[in-house]
């Protein structure tokens, strides 16, 4: 059904229309509409995926049938619809699972705007994943920044405003670098569409002309995107941001927004820079080094925290380090590991944030570890959900976290000697540190509280969180157990990227 | 070297402005100056892009006097990009100024270190 090829554009238009409509509705109706939109987007993406996977090639979709250089294009093979579907599904589950906190902590006059922002995050992520034009990518990067800043800001106290300011600062530094890089690249090649860029860069690379400006452009773009994702040492905003935001917002920001940027970078590496140029440019080594640094700084930061949400935030920084380490490692196995890690983290971290919020609420809003004692007994489902997702983070077998770490290990053995040793050391160290800080948390929440008496939060009071948490865990187990065919599928997708 | 710099003087100025804006955004402690730095940085990018689109002795890309030869006109794309970019940077600036205002009303200072210290105290007082 070649009609399925229209679906990506439909999703983008539908999300924009939903955003406008939601702003006119009441809070509850806006939430239903957003959840419906995310579900529909996930299904439509999967239908597109079914078609492209059956055809086994990638398609270029001309918007309004205007060819290059007048028209704008979308391009998608297997990976784009797969990741867009995953992003939509995770957005759905994050909003669904965080419903209780959204009801309690959102000001009701502003409630509907929260869902407008969710719709805008969805449209910008979808467009980032599908676009075939680097400047369109820039515009949607900025839309994504503004709407995710809004997700933080919707609950206003001093710290969320400061967190948003810090988030915006780092984001704007990143997008400024990205924009300048794009302009450099445009002045060198005269193109903005990715396939034309790839051709021109290959010609420039073969002739050896203007090597320095080309390198500058590619490194500005790469560094810009990685700053926006929160790669160390630009990860410091994360702790403030995720520590102060609503659990749904933290889940969307750490699980989706940073990952959307990373996916866009992978797309640029394959479709615009060309792996042949990128993996001889030296930029990949910078990414690798900062990825390893991010893993270590993030893990040590998490270990030093005594606030559960800030610990999760530092752990996110470490996970982003993994993704960039994978991109830096190699064009095949490294990128495969990075792609798998994007999915792993997108399915794990939002669930951890939701579970942490459940634990924290059962202790009357406490965030520090010594006040969270025994919360695993008070809110049994949140405790189980937190522990399971923590096991996935540590990398116990049958979870996606294990497969991620296995893939990084394999990619390390496949790469050059001077990258193999640091990767393995980073993997080993971060696994130890992960175990330390998650084990500490799990021990705390299952420690009998001093005052003895506890009030249990039954599942029927948190149905939505139960559904979302269970689905996150089931998806994690599913991809953790049936990893081999799925990795083969990712590899196919990479081949036709 | 010097002639090359002179021939590309607009680009050189744009790069210097970009660096000024970037370092202001990154290093200054005053929130308003950070916003100004952001604007300088964006404007530098647009200056660079505009100078690429301008070709001496060519017309703006609107057909005048029946001249349909593309050689008579400049490339309209950079101007289009600059316009899009300006829209983006205006909205970002508006959001940043709104945030700055909120912070100032709450903490009565624009110094980011001071604000950070105060929120840190709030956080320590939390359970």
């Amino acid at each position: 059904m070649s009609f399925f090829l229209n679906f990506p554009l439909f999703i983008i238009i539908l999300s924009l229309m939903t955003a406008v409509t939601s702003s006119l509705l009441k809070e509850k109706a806006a939430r239903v509409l957003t959840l419906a939109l995310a579900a529909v987007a996930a299904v439509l993406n999967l239908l597109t995926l079914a078609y492209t996977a059956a055809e086994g090639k990638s398609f270029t979709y001309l918007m309004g049938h205007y060819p290059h250089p007048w028209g704008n294009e979308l391009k998608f093979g297997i990976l784009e619809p797969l990741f867009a579907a995953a992003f939509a599904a995770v957005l759905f589950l994050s909003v669904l699972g965080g419903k209780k906190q959204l009801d309690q902590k959102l000001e009701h006059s502003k409630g509907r705007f929260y869902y407008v922002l969710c719709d805008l995050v969805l449209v910008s992520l979808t467009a980032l994943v599908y676009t075939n034009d680097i400047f369109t990518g820039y515009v949607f990067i900025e839309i994504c920044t503004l709407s995710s800043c809004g997700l933080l800001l919707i609950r206003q106290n001093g710290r969320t405003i400061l967190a948003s300011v810090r988030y915006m600062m780092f984001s704007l530094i990143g997008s400024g670098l990205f924009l300048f890089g794009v302009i450099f690249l445009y002045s060198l090649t005269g193109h903005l569409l990715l396939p034309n860029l790839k051709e021109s860069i290959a010609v420039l690379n073969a002739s050896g002309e203007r090597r320095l400006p080309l390198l500058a452009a590619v490194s500005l773009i790469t560094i810009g995107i990685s700053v926006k994702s929160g790669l160390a040492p630009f990860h410091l905003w994360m702790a403030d941001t995720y520590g102060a935001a609503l659990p749904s917002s933290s889940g969307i920001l750490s699980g989706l927004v940073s990952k959307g940027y990373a996916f866009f970078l992978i797309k640029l590496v394959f479709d615009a820079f060309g792996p042949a140029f990128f993996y001889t440019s030296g930029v990949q080594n910078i990414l690798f080094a900062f990825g390893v640094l991010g893993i270590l700084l993030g893990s040590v930061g998490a270990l030093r925290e005594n606030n559960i949400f800030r610990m999760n935030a530092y752990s996110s920084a470490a996970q982003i380090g993994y993704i960039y380490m994978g991109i830096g490692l190699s064009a095949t196995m490294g990128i495969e590991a990075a792609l798998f890690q994007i999915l792993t983290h997108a399915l794990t971290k939002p669930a951890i944030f939701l579970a942490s919020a459940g634990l924290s609420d059962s202790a009357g809003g406490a965030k520090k570890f010594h006040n969270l004692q025994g919360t695993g007994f008070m809110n049994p489902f949140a405790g189980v959900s937190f522990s399971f997702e923590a096991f996935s983070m540590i990398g116990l077998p049958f979870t996606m976290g294990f497969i991620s770490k296995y893939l990084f290990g394999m990619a390390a053995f496949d790469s050059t000697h001077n990258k193999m040793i640091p990767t393995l050391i980073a993997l080993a160290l971060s696994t130890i540190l992960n175990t330390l800080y998650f084990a500490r948390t799990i021990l705390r929440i299952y420690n009998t509280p001093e005052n003895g008496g506890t009030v249990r939060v039954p599942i029927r009071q948190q149905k939505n969180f139960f559904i979302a948490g269970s689905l996150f865990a089931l998806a994690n187990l599913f991809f953790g157990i049936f990893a081999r065919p799925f990795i083969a599928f990712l590899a196919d997708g990479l081949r036709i990227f | 070297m010097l002639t090359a710099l002179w021939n590309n003087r607009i680009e050189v100025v744009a790069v210097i402005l970009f660096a000024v804006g970037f370092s202001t955004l990154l290093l200054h402690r005053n929130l308003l100056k950070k916003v100004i730095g952001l604007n300088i940085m964006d404007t530098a990018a647009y200056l660079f892009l505009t100078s690429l689109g301008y070709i001496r002795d060519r017309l703006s890309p609107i057909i005048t006097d029946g001249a349909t030869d593309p050689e008579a006109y400049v490339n309209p794309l950079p101007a289009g990009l600059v316009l899009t970019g300006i829209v983006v940077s205006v909205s970002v600036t508006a959001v940043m100024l709104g945030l700055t205002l909120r912070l100032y009303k709450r903490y009565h200072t624009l110094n980011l270190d001071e604000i950070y210290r105060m929120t840190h105290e709030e956080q320590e007082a939390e359970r």
Side-chain angles (χ1 to χ4, degrees), chain A residues 139-187:
Chain A
V139 173
F140 280 100
I141 283 179
E142 290 290 41
I143 295 178
C144 200
T145 308
L146 286 174
S147 39
S148 45
C149 176
L151 286 181
L152 289 175
L153 260 183
I154 201 90
R155 188 176 149 214
Q156 284 194 1
N157 57 42
R159 263 181 309 128
T160 51
I161 304 175
L162 182 68
S164 322
V165 168
R166 294 194 92 194
Y167 174 66
M168 285 292 275
M169 292 295 169
F170 282 110
S171 263
L172 293 174
I173 288 170
S175 40
L177 291 173
F178 180 82
L179 175 67
F180 217 70
V182 169
I183 293 172
F184 257 37
L185 209 55
Y186 178 67
S187 75

Side-chain angles (χ1 to χ4, degrees), chain A residues 18-183:
Chain A
T18 314
V20 176
T21 324
S22 295
S23 66
L24 302 172
L25 294 173
K26 288 229 163 62
E27 185 183 355
K28 204 172 169 193
R31 172 162 57 221
V32 172
L33 197 62
T34 298
L35 287 174
L37 167 76
V40 167
V43 171
L44 291 184
N45 277 316
L46 286 178
L47 288 175
T48 313
L49 174 65
Y51 181 74
T52 51
E55 294 285 313
K57 58 177 184 182
S58 62
F59 296 88
T60 304
Y61 184 85
L62 303 183
M63 301 230 264
H65 300 284
Y66 290 110
H68 161 76
W70 294 281
N72 204 333
E73 295 176 359
L74 303 178
K75 188 194 139 260
F76 43 94
I78 289 177
L79 294 176
E80 288 92 346
L82 176 69
F83 277 78
F87 289 160
V90 172
L91 185 99
F92 176 86
L93 292 178
S94 304
V95 174
L96 183 74
K99 179 175 173 287
K100 196 174 160 194
Q101 284 83 7
L102 288 173
D103 277 341
Q104 287 169 353
K105 294 176 183 163
L106 268 186
E107 277 177 50
H108 290 290
S109 58
K110 288 185 201 147
R112 60 183 190 278
F113 295 118
Y114 188 83
Y115 303 103
V116 174
L117 293 166
C118 288
D119 299 342
L120 287 176
V121 167
L122 184 67
V123 70
S124 46
L125 284 174
T126 313
L128 260 186
V129 166
Y130 280 112
T131 187
N132 204 20
D133 178 292
I134 199 165
F135 202 80
T136 310
Y138 166 71
V139 173
F140 280 100
I141 283 179
E142 290 290 41
I143 295 178
C144 200
T145 308
L146 286 174
S147 39
S148 45
C149 176
L151 286 181
L152 289 175
L153 260 183
I154 201 90
R155 188 176 149 214
Q156 284 194 1
N157 57 42
R159 263 181 309 128
T160 51
I161 304 175
L162 182 68
S164 322
V165 168
R166 294 194 92 194
Y167 174 66
M168 285 292 275
M169 292 295 169
F170 282 110
S171 263
L172 293 174
I173 288 170
S175 40
L177 291 173
F178 180 82
L179 175 67
F180 217 70
V182 169
I183 293 172

